[in-house]
Amino acid sequence: MADVLFYHLTESTLEETLPGLLERSVDRGWRAVVQTGTEERRDALDQHLWTFRDDSFLAHATDREAYPGDQPILLTTGDANPNGARIRFLVDGASPSDLSGYERAVFLFDGHDSAQVGAARGHWKLMKEAGHAVTYWQQTPDRRWERKA
């Protein structure tokens, strides 16, 4: 079973938070999949990861490009794992399929978006019922993460 983390974004945006989490995943030697709810969001994140910081580079591709299996970070709208990722990020209410093949899954959701909060609650219940080790983290006003459950 996977460790499943829920990150409730209240002070930062997804664009501010995701690159750092992806950097830490790659530093661990993990490949990552980022599943978005829409193709538009996937494409926006694709552009953002090339330019999010002047002193950083995150090698990645989308699922519409050639050789997705060779990518350390793959952005997708689907539930496949063509690059053999050990960690899966789910954003913007993306729905997971079977997560048992992952070491870790991370749901990132905007605390100011009621649809995303509702989707996260539903995913929390499903992940617990599936037997995954589930934790919930919320941002503090100083943008640190505090474990709430």
Side-chain angles (χ1 to χ4, degrees):
M1 289 293 156
D3 288 329
V4 180
L5 293 78
F6 285 79
Y7 284 150
H8 188 163
L9 301 168
T10 58
E11 305 299 323
S12 302
T13 65
L14 176 66
E15 290 79 8
E16 293 168 328
T17 306
L18 183 61
L21 294 172
L22 290 171
E23 285 177 322
R24 284 193 286 285
S25 297
V26 170
D27 287 347
R28 288 182 173 181
W30 291 354
R31 288 179 176 239
V33 170
V34 179
Q35 182 180 344
T36 64
T38 65
E39 290 180 1
E40 294 80 15
R41 182 61 140 167
R42 177 201 58 201
D43 295 345
L45 285 175
D46 177 32
Q47 291 303 309
H48 179 69
L49 291 178
W50 293 120
T51 61
F52 74 96
R53 202 170 64 221
D54 289 339
D55 65 344
S56 184
F57 172 76
L58 276 173
H60 71 280
T62 69
D63 56 0
R64 65 195 155 123
E65 296 172 44
Y67 311 109
D70 295 339
Q71 304 304 321
I73 300 169
L74 185 69
L75 306 175
T76 185
T77 58
D79 57 8
N81 185 9
N83 67 339
R86 293 172 62 190
I87 185 167
R88 184 171 202 92
F89 292 90
L90 298 111
V91 302
D92 290 339
S95 294
S97 60
D98 181 20
L99 295 176
S100 61
Y102 296 92
E103 247 178 82
R104 181 171 292 170
V106 179
F107 289 83
L108 293 142
F109 61 100
D110 182 345
H112 305 288
D113 182 322
S114 60
Q116 285 189 33
V117 171
R121 285 184 181 130
H123 294 316
W124 171 274
K125 182 179 178 185
L126 290 173
M127 295 299 107
K128 284 193 67 88
E129 289 172 355
H132 295 290
V134 181
T135 57
Y136 167 72
W137 300 82
Q138 187 174 36
Q139 280 187 308
T140 62
D142 62 355
R143 296 183 178 208
R144 295 189 181 270
W145 294 103
E146 183 176 279
R147 184 175 176 169
K148 297 285 190 167

